[in-house]
Amino acid sequence: AHENTGLQTQPPPEEQNYGATAAHVGQGPFVSVSRNSPAKRDYLISAVLCYANLINFMDWFLVPGILLEIQKYFELSDGDTGLLHTVFILCYMLAAPIFGYLGDRYNRKIILGGAIFFWSGVTLGSSFISELYYWIFFLSRGLVGIGTASYSTIAPTIIADLFEEGKRTTMLSIFYIFIPVGSGLGYVLAASMADVTGDWHWAFRITPCMGGLALVLLILLVPHRTKRRTAAHRALSISGTIRVAAEKPGVHRTAKTTWCQDVISLAKNWSFVWSSLGLTAMAFVTGALGMWVPLFLYRAQVVQGIVSPCLQESCDSSNSLIFGGITIGTGILGVIAGAEAARRLRKINNKADPLICATSMFISALCLYIALMVAQTNILSTFIFIAFGELFLSVNWAVVTDILLYVVTPRRQSTAIALQILVSHLLGDASSPYLIGIISNAIQGKNAHSFQWSFWSMQYSFIVCAFVGVFGGGFFLLTSFYIEEDRKEAER
């Protein structure tokens, strides 16, 4: 009955065309057919957005890839070094709600194009900063954070608009695969350029060229007006009553709401609240790992006598290369495994998504704790357990976003993503690199300066991440209690 009433109705004119699909939609009453068979251009648009997402996350992780070089060049303590990533994330998260508001109301293509141009230009400029002006380097990382915020907030909503629910999960999974792939390539690119040129500044001169290509592709391939189709088509597929509601006097299909009303509504959505806190725990752990793992491994190797201390000469970047490779591999495997597990388990359990997230967080926390404990005696085991820890963290990326997209009504999705970014980064990866750094500083300050205590201080401060991972699993368990009710509410 749902299909009959839904497919025979034509959506209002303002909902009829999204980019390349416009030609198919207006030709007959069977609106959903074109959405079940997305045009090739929809996939092309998604490919451009995925490529830009790759560059986005490469820029994020250039600094951790050559952290030892930067720390030595600017003569930074652990606390100051952690602050470098915190400045980036703080600017990123503070800008996200602004771009969420703009993305729900204004032309998304123009916002995305401006963002890519801005962050690529600032990244290039940061490669020419001398050691006397370390504060300008801190400032440049903050500006890059502002540029990337608009992209991470808006791009997923365009993909969500292009595809129906089944294909949407798949396409979002592909989009989010480029988070770990881009992150890992950021480490590899930074370390490789520092090795090849003998100057870490060159690490910041490659991604701006890639950003220029992304900007050209965005201009040429993404439609100027990207209509939001998700609301109408999801309603059609669920109830088929949208046309009836639109024709009744006094009934508004998509009533205009203020930003404050949107936020209040989201705060009452418990699935959104708890899953956002679970994502915050994920962000806390990934932020700390991403910033400090290569440096932690270097200190462990110095204590074991595997490598000599890096004092004057150019530092060994093999840890960054290996960790970058691990991040890429586990990221791809994790996102694919998470999406596939969700697809299969949803058929037998409506609460599958949050339960998958909870389980993977608990396993990840255990693996990271073991990795920290064996670091002083066995580096190979440390790499293996870090890899498993990252693998189970990566399982959650696409699943968490999909939870948001089906428990939040479509017209609030950009705002919801922006708020989720704000909370998860403020309490997550904006805090964790700096917190780990100052705990490490405090431990070193109370003990004699030595390579042994330099390692122990980082090891002890890292244990915080294992506990936060356990809390994250608890938040996802709480999400499972509300997810069915909130999903039905969003569909209504």
Side-chain angles (χ1 to χ4, degrees), residues 54-103:
L54 176 79
I55 304 161
N56 183 0
F57 281 89
M58 284 176 73
D59 272 334
W60 274 49
F61 289 92
L62 290 175
V63 168
I66 44 175
L67 192 62
L68 201 53
E69 298 272 13
I70 291 173
Q71 190 176 37
K72 189 174 69 172
Y73 183 81
F74 289 116
E75 298 179 354
L76 302 174
S77 68
D78 282 356
D80 291 337
T81 306
L83 188 62
L84 193 59
H85 197 63
T86 295
V87 167
F88 175 91
I89 298 296
L90 280 172
C91 292
Y92 175 91
M93 71 177 196
L94 291 172
I98 298 169
F99 287 114
Y101 177 87
L102 296 174

Side-chain angles (χ1 to χ4, degrees), residues 95-355:
I98 298 169
F99 287 114
Y101 177 87
L102 296 174
D104 280 340
R105 289 158 178 82
Y106 299 102
N107 190 294
R108 293 179 286 186
K109 177 180 176 177
I110 293 172
I111 298 170
L112 291 184
I116 294 170
F117 178 80
F118 179 75
W119 97 61
S120 297
V122 173
T123 300
L124 181 62
S126 67
S127 70
F128 299 100
I129 299 168
S130 77
E131 67 269 26
L132 299 175
Y133 299 100
Y134 70 90
W135 61 272
I136 298 180
F137 190 75
F138 275 73
L139 177 64
S140 73
R141 295 309 293 166
L143 293 176
V144 171
I146 292 172
T148 57
S150 63
Y151 192 83
S152 296
T153 308
I154 295 169
T157 66
I158 294 179
I159 291 176
D161 284 351
L162 286 170
F163 301 96
E164 289 292 354
E165 186 170 342
K167 285 193 172 67
R168 189 183 73 234
T169 303
T170 304
M171 296 310 294
L172 281 170
S173 299
I174 294 169
F175 181 80
Y176 282 102
I177 279 174
F178 287 92
I179 292 178
V181 172
S183 304
L185 284 177
Y187 288 102
V188 172
L189 174 70
S192 300
M193 290 305 295
D195 274 349
V196 170
T197 63
D199 181 3
W200 63 266
H201 291 88
W202 280 96
F204 293 88
R205 295 169 188 167
I206 304 299
T207 53
C209 300
M210 298 172 68
L213 175 60
L215 184 58
V216 171
L217 291 172
L218 185 81
I219 292 168
L220 294 178
L221 298 175
V222 178
H224 187 67
R225 294 192 64 79
T226 52
K227 295 279 185 180
R228 287 129 172 99
R229 298 178 52 87
T230 320
H233 282 85
R234 196 175 302 168
L236 281 169
S237 63
I238 292 159
S239 66
T241 58
I242 192 167
R243 184 65 171 167
V244 178
E247 287 173 348
K248 284 184 180 178
V251 177
H252 299 286
R253 182 175 46 82
T254 52
K256 293 287 183 183
T257 55
T258 65
W259 187 80
C260 289
Q261 287 173 320
D262 288 348
V263 172
I264 291 167
S265 173
L266 291 169
K268 294 175 182 176
N269 185 327
W270 286 109
S271 295
F272 171 74
V273 171
W274 291 121
S275 64
S276 295
L277 288 173
L279 181 65
T280 301
M282 282 172 58
F284 186 97
V285 176
T286 52
L289 289 177
M291 190 68 178
W292 290 112
V293 160
L295 194 62
F296 171 72
L297 292 169
Y298 157 77
R299 291 181 181 179
Q301 289 167 338
V302 169
V303 168
Q304 290 182 37
I306 297 171
V307 300
S308 55
C310 168
L311 300 173
Q312 298 299 325
E313 69 286 349
S314 182
C315 304
D316 177 29
S317 53
S318 60
N319 287 326
S320 291
L321 290 169
I322 296 169
F323 184 65
I326 287 172
T327 302
I328 294 169
T330 57
I332 293 171
L333 282 174
V335 171
I336 292 171
E340 184 62 20
R343 188 179 69 81
R344 289 174 181 271
L345 294 176
R346 277 175 197 158
K347 296 173 183 176
I348 55 174
N349 190 337
N350 292 332
K351 300 179 178 182
D353 288 355
L355 293 176

Side-chain angles (χ1 to χ4, degrees), residues 266-275 277 350-352 354-355 403 406-408 474-490 492:
L266 291 169
K268 294 175 182 176
N269 185 327
W270 286 109
S271 295
F272 171 74
V273 171
W274 291 121
S275 64
L277 288 173
N350 292 332
K351 300 179 178 182
L355 293 176
I403 288 173
Y406 64 67
V407 300
V408 174
F475 291 136
F476 283 122
L477 279 181
L478 287 170
T479 306
S480 68
F481 296 134
Y482 299 94
I483 193 121
E484 290 176 293
E485 184 184 333
D486 288 335
R487 180 170 190 163
K488 287 173 186 172
E489 180 62 31
R492 279 199 293 273

Side-chain angles (χ1 to χ4, degrees), residues 42-57:
D42 291 354
Y43 290 112
L44 206 55
I45 291 166
S46 298
V48 172
L49 296 175
C50 287
Y51 171 66
N53 203 35
L54 176 79
I55 304 161
N56 183 0
F57 281 89

